[in-house]
Amino acid sequence: MSNSSLSPLPSADRPEITARLRDALLAASFTADGLLELLGAPAYAALARSETVPALRATRGDTPLEMLVRLFLLQQPVPHARVEGVLPLAECLDSGWLSPVGGAEVAAAVDVRPYGGPGGEDWFIVSDLGCAVGGAGGIGSRNEGVVLGVGGASMTLAGITVRTPVSAALDLGTGSGIQALHAAQHATRVTATDVNPRALHITALTLALSGAPGADLREGSLFEPVRDDETYDLIVSNPPFVISPGARLTYRDGGMGGDDLCRTLVQESGERLREGGFAQFLANWQHVEGEDWQDRLRSWVPRGCDAWIVQREVQDVTQYAELWLRDAGDHRSDPAEYQALYDAWLDEFEARKVKAVGFGWIALRRTGTAVPSVTVEEWPHPVEQPLGETVRAHFRRLDFLRAHDDADLLEGHSRLAAEIVQEQVGLPGAEDPEHVVLRQHRGMRRATKVDTVGAGFAGVCDGRLSAGRILDAIAQLMGEDPVLLRDRTPAQIRLLVEQGFLDPA
C-alpha cells in the first residue's frame, strides 16, 4: 500500500482549533489519570496489549469521558448529538479531527492517546487509526507509511534519556513526536526529522495538542536534513532498527542491510555532538558466527565519545523473525505466503551468518578525550525507570575515575549510595559467609560480589574518613598488613564506584 490509502490528517495549521480541542479533552478528564480511573487497571493494561474488549465494556455509559474513549482510542463512531455537547464539533469537522459517518454519527480521523508527562503534564500522542493502543499489532501496519503511537520502545527511550537543560536537541526519526515532546520541556530548540512526511505532520499535531512548543520539522533520513554546521547537546532516536529482508514498513525497517542503519546512526552522531553532549538510541545488533558481539558494538563508537551500551534481550533468529512477522500481521495471511516470508527472513540471516539478534540501549557522551571509556554489558534484569539520572551519573563517575589514580582514591572520601543492601550466603552456623553480595534497590538494580574487606569498606563509607584510613582500620581488625591491603583494594573500590555502589564525596 502507499500513503494515499491512509486517512487524511487533521490540519496542522489551525492552532486556535487545536487549543479548543485540548481544553475540551481536559475538561472531560480525558487524561492518563482519568483513563485509569474510568477503565480500571486490568482494562487499562489490556489496551497496551492491543486488547480493546475490556475497555469497550467499561465505556458503555453516557459520560463525556466514556464517549471520548470510544471515539479517539477505540475508533467507534459516536452520535453527532453526543459529541456536540463535549467538543467544538463544527471546528473539529472543519479542521479534519473528525469526519461524518452515515449522517448521524462522527468518527475520529486519528488516534489520540492521553499520555502523562514526567512532571505531571497532560499530553496527547497523535497517531494513525488503530495504532495508539499497544502499537500496530498488525492493525493497519501493512501500510508502509503508517505512524505508530506510544509503545514500549518509545517509553523506554524517554525514560533513559538524560534530562538536563540544553540549548539544542535533535530527535531523529521522530514518528509521532514522543521524544520531541519530552525534549521540548528542557531544550531551548528542538529539531525533529523523519523520512516519512506523514510522521512530521503527526508530530506537529502531537506537540500542538499537548500544548508544547513547536519544533523545527525536517524531512529526510538520519542526519541528511541536518546542516554541516549544526551540532546538538542532545541527540535521541528510536530508529527503524528491525533487521529484516527488504524495507516494507517505514516505521520499523531501516532499508539498510543487517544492522547497518543502527551502526551508521551511532558512528555519525559523534561529529554532531557538542562537547559534553549526549546521544541516546535504541538499537538491534547482529550476533554473527565467529564474532564477539561486544567487539562488534565497540567498533561502532565514534572517536572522542565515551559509550555505555547495554544489551537487554537476545533472541535467536527464529524468535526474532516470528516477532516481527506477527507485528506486521503476516501471521494472519495465507499460510503459503507466511511461509515464504518466514523463509526470506531465515535466508537473510543465513547469508549473513547471523545466529541471534540483540536489543538494547546505546548512550554516547562527547568528551574529546584521547582514551575514551567504552562499556558494553549484558543486563537483562529488571531496572527502575526513569534512568536518565542514572545514565548521567554513570558518565560523571567515569570522569572521576579517569581523573583519579589509585593514590587519589586512597586519599579520597566516598559515601555508600542510597538503598544498598548486603546479602550473605553460606552454611548455617558458619563463621564466614561463602559469598557477600551488595545489591542496589534503585536505578539499574545491580548486584556485585565483594570480599569481606570490600563489604566492610562499603559499610563504613559515610564521607567522613578517607579510603586509606578505613583500610588501615580494617587491616588492624583483621590482622593484615595495611600496606598490602592498600595495594590490592583500590581495584575493588574503583569497581564499586563505577557501578554506582559508592559515590565520591
Side-chain angles (χ1 to χ4, degrees):
M1 288 185 181
S2 65
N3 286 5
S4 62
S5 66
L6 292 166
S7 62
L9 294 173
S11 171
D13 301 320
R14 306 288 294 274
E16 71 288 350
I17 294 178
T18 305
R20 288 194 63 192
L21 174 59
R22 171 178 169 79
D23 290 342
L25 297 177
L26 293 175
S29 296
F30 187 63
T31 63
D33 289 341
L35 281 185
L36 182 58
E37 183 176 351
L38 170 68
L39 302 178
Y44 190 79
L47 284 177
R49 303 190 300 270
S50 301
E51 297 293 347
T52 59
V53 172
L56 285 167
R57 292 171 62 87
T59 55
R60 291 170 172 171
D62 201 34
T63 67
L65 178 56
E66 288 169 299
M67 182 273 294
L68 291 174
V69 172
R70 291 197 299 272
L71 181 65
F72 283 117
L73 272 185
L74 304 178
Q75 277 84 64
Q76 301 295 304
V78 174
H80 188 287
R82 281 295 299 124
V83 180
E84 198 164 25
V86 179
L87 300 178
L89 181 57
E91 291 93 333
C92 286
L93 287 168
D94 180 57
S95 59
W97 286 97
L98 301 177
S99 59
V101 178
E105 294 181 317
V106 295
V110 288
D111 270 290
V112 177
R113 174 175 169 176
Y115 180 75
E121 302 91 348
D122 289 315
W123 292 339
F124 300 97
I125 309 301
V126 180
S127 63
D128 272 312
L129 292 173
C131 295
V133 177
I139 304 173
S141 60
R142 285 172 173 267
N143 193 305
E144 63 182 23
V146 71
V147 178
L148 300 192
V150 182
S154 55
M155 294 179 72
T156 294
L157 179 59
I160 67 173
T161 300
V162 174
R163 302 295 176 192
T164 55
V166 296
S167 173
L170 174 64
D171 175 16
L172 289 174
T174 188
S176 57
I178 300 164
Q179 309 308 324
L181 178 58
H182 277 277
Q185 310 309 304
H186 61 101
T188 304
R189 176 172 59 88
V190 176
T191 301
T193 72
D194 205 290
V195 70
N196 183 1
R198 187 176 181 87
L200 298 175
H201 189 131
I202 285 180
T203 291
L205 297 175
T206 289
L207 294 172
L209 194 58
S210 297
D216 181 2
L217 305 177
R218 304 181 190 178
E219 183 180 346
S221 176
L222 299 180
F223 289 99
E224 286 177 4
V226 179
R227 297 192 305 270
D228 291 342
D229 61 344
E230 288 182 302
T231 56
Y232 298 87
D233 307 291
L234 175 67
I235 300 173
V236 294
S237 183
N238 177 19
F241 52 65
V242 177
I243 300 170
S244 61
R248 288 192 303 152
L249 305 176
T250 304
Y251 73 87
R252 71 168 205 192
D253 300 324
M256 296 186 186
D259 51 17
D260 283 353
L261 182 136
C262 291
R263 176 186 56 79
T264 301
L265 177 63
V266 173
Q267 289 180 336
E268 294 185 357
S269 62
E271 62 187 24
R272 300 296 185 176
L273 274 180
R274 297 174 180 172
E275 192 73 14
F278 288 90
Q280 296 182 254
F281 316 108
L282 300 185
N284 277 183
W285 43 78
Q286 298 172 150
H287 286 227
V288 180
E289 289 181 19
E291 182 179 337
D292 186 297
W293 69 270
Q294 294 182 323
D295 289 342
R296 181 182 189 85
L297 290 174
R298 287 189 185 96
S299 72
W300 291 7
V301 178
R303 293 177 59 186
C305 290
D306 287 340
W308 184 21
I309 302 173
V310 182
Q311 180 167 276
R312 296 287 290 156
E313 185 179 359
V314 182
Q315 291 184 320
D316 67 47
V317 292
T318 60
Q319 292 173 313
Y320 190 80
E322 291 163 13
L323 169 67
W324 294 109
L325 287 168
R326 286 195 302 270
D327 171 82
D330 292 318
H331 60 304
R332 302 189 183 107
S333 64
D334 176 75
E337 181 182 352
Y338 176 77
Q339 182 176 339
L341 290 168
Y342 201 149
D343 269 333
W345 282 73
L346 297 186
D347 286 344
E348 177 81 4
F349 287 132
E350 185 176 338
R352 295 180 177 275
K353 298 183 178 179
V354 175
K355 59 184 179 179
V357 177
F359 168 82
W361 319 324
I362 298 176
L364 307 176
R365 191 193 52 164
R366 181 82 183 178
T367 63
T369 181
V371 185
S373 171
V374 178
T375 301
V376 184
E377 62 176 320
E378 185 166 17
W379 190 254
H381 311 292
V383 298
E384 181 190 48
Q385 285 274 37
L387 280 169
E389 181 53 34
T390 298
V391 173
R392 189 166 77 98
H394 170 86
F395 288 100
R396 187 171 62 240
R397 291 192 300 270
L398 290 183
D399 283 343
F400 173 84
L401 293 172
R402 188 158 38 210
H404 293 78
D405 60 18
D406 288 354
D408 295 328
L409 287 184
L410 292 173
E411 289 296 322
H413 298 238
S414 297
R415 291 188 180 89
L416 187 67
E419 297 194 39
I420 304 293
V421 298
Q422 177 178 307
E423 300 173 357
Q424 298 184 177
V425 179
L427 293 174
E431 184 175 343
D432 295 315
E434 294 176 19
H435 302 292
V436 179
V437 174
L438 300 182
R439 188 178 300 277
Q440 301 169 348
H441 280 193
R442 305 298 300 272
M444 291 294 287
R445 294 178 174 168
R446 294 187 185 278
T448 190
K449 184 179 176 181
V450 293
D451 60 19
T452 304
V453 173
F457 178 86
V460 297
C461 279
D462 59 5
R464 292 184 293 180
L465 296 177
S466 69
R469 290 188 61 187
I470 293 173
L471 291 177
D472 289 344
I474 291 174
Q476 186 175 5
L477 286 172
M478 299 180 63
E480 290 201 26
D481 185 332
V483 175
L484 294 177
L485 198 61
R486 279 175 172 254
D487 284 344
R488 68 178 173 87
T489 307
Q492 192 168 191
I493 297 174
R494 193 170 290 274
L495 179 64
L496 292 174
V497 172
E498 180 182 344
Q499 295 191 343
F501 290 92
L502 293 178
D503 294 323

